[in-house]
Amino acid sequence: MVWVKRDDLTGFATAGNKARSLEFLIGDALAQHCDVLVTGGGAGSNFCAAAAAAARAAGMDCDLVLYGTDPDAGDAGHLHPNLSAARESGAHVQFTGRPDRDEIDGAIAQRGAELAVDGRRPYVMPRGGATAVGAVGFALAFEELSGQLAAAGVDPGVVVVATGSGGTQAGLVAGQAGAAARGARAYPWILGATVSRPPAQILETVTNLSRQCGALLDWPIARAEDVEIVDARGAGFAVPSPPGERARRIAYETEGLILDPVYSAKAFGVVLDLIAEGFRQPIVFWHTGGLPAAIHHMTTTSERSALCPT
Ligand SMILES: Cc1ncc(COP(=O)(O)O)c(C=O)c1O
């Protein structure tokens, strides 16, 4: 049996899982009297669109640094809804002009420094909002899940989640360590499906962030073996993979569940792999969202006809 944690329905814009981290990131920014959120990523970044909406709602400005070139200047048919949404929220957007994703964190820091020189009070967030503060939202989400599972009498063997910048998994792992120390039942596995960074790199990031998050909450620190990652990247970040596309179609055709090709479909592919390998305990699939990318995918690729029942 697969249970789905519907963080695609968190209810703020189309932020999905990122509504949880932004609650704490915005709170921290306001506590520090910051007046502009600064972050970045790709034109299709869910986090950037969500940060822009959250800044707007909190009465702050938002400044985004995106890699690549402005698709607005080219084929409007390929304009990503997340970029449109960020602009609709009033975000200031600038592009690096280069395709290198790894440049972005440096470019974000530089933009923050420029704004500070101009007399602004920037709150600088790395890609995906992957900080210990942001991860707190997911540590509390783990507690929420524990309560829901207890109420439903479900005892899962694994929680599968898509892992990009690492904050979501880090928070869940911190939450699990806290719950275990309080004597609650600890689940054998939180399995992160990495869709962006190589497994060894993201394992280190998630472990560190999880420990920083635990320290911030004054909760027990997660053990190294609590962090497990499986490679679900396929050909690369944001490139749809055959297992992910299969998972996307199965979820849609059987449950009407919409998965995005970048994150949630690849993670659900891992769920299907576990079942195919004979995993028989209940599985929790943490649906992190990505609705704009899912719609974008359906409307810009020939794959869309494959969503019809066959
Ligand atoms: C839809 C969706 N799922 C999963 C993730 C991964 O979360 P994290 O970056 O915290 O690992 C993201 C990150 O942007 C996302 O947008």
Side-chain angles (χ1 to χ4, degrees), residues 17-18 46-47 128 138 162-169 260 263-264 288-290:
N17 61 329
K18 299 297 180 177
N46 295 307
F47 180 67
F138 301 108
T163 292
S165 60
T168 305
Q169 188 181 356
D260 77 291
Y263 295 96
S264 52
T288 45

Side-chain angles (χ1 to χ4, degrees), residues 8-270:
D8 55 321
L9 304 177
T10 47
F12 179 75
T14 51
N17 61 329
K18 299 297 180 177
R20 294 192 185 269
S21 46
L22 279 163
E23 180 183 354
F24 289 89
L25 291 164
I26 291 276
D28 193 31
L30 292 174
Q32 295 182 40
H33 306 291
C34 294
D35 59 6
V36 52
L37 286 190
V38 187
T39 192
S45 165
N46 295 307
F47 180 67
C48 288
R56 178 94 192 194
M60 300 173 71
D61 289 331
C62 182
D63 213 291
L64 301 174
V65 189
L66 307 181
Y67 60 82
T69 50
D70 188 348
D72 230 345
D75 179 359
H78 284 76
L79 199 58
H80 200 289
N82 277 331
L83 176 59
S84 306
R87 287 192 160 126
E88 184 78 16
S89 297
H92 174 267
V93 179
Q94 72 182 62
F95 284 81
T96 62
R98 288 178 300 277
D100 186 358
R101 288 199 292 144
D102 292 335
E103 271 182 27
I104 285 293
D105 288 331
I108 293 169
Q110 190 185 329
R111 183 66 189 142
E114 285 167 11
L115 287 163
V117 168
D118 288 347
R120 304 296 305 272
R121 292 184 61 87
Y123 187 81
V124 175
M125 304 180 292
R127 281 177 290 166
T131 69
V133 170
V136 167
F138 301 108
L140 300 185
F142 184 87
E143 294 208 314
E144 181 184 296
L145 175 72
S146 302
Q148 289 172 324
L149 291 171
V154 180
D155 196 7
V158 63
V159 176
V160 177
V161 65
T163 292
S165 60
T168 305
Q169 188 181 356
L172 296 180
V173 168
Q176 186 193 45
R182 285 190 296 277
R185 210 197 142 273
Y187 305 107
W189 252 4
I190 292 171
L191 185 57
T194 182
V195 300
S196 175
R197 280 100 167 146
Q201 181 189 335
I202 196 66
L203 186 97
E204 191 181 343
T205 304
V206 171
T207 305
N208 291 339
L209 269 178
S210 162
R211 289 178 172 166
Q212 290 162 17
C213 174
L216 202 61
L217 289 164
D218 206 12
W219 287 3
I221 301 301
R223 302 161 306 167
E225 60 265 36
D226 294 333
V227 182
E228 199 170 330
I229 304 274
V230 63
D231 195 351
R233 291 173 297 165
F237 178 61
V239 181
S241 68
E245 288 306 281
R246 175 174 171 265
R248 197 170 64 80
R249 282 197 288 275
I250 289 174
Y252 189 74
E253 290 172 8
T254 59
E255 295 290 336
L257 193 66
I258 297 179
L259 304 178
D260 77 291
V262 183
Y263 295 96
S264 52
K266 287 180 174 177
F268 196 62
V270 170

Side-chain angles (χ1 to χ4, degrees), residues 263-280:
Y263 295 96
S264 52
K266 287 180 174 177
F268 196 62
V270 170
V271 170
L272 297 181
D273 285 349
L274 285 171
I275 294 167
E277 287 159 13
F279 192 86
R280 289 291 169 259

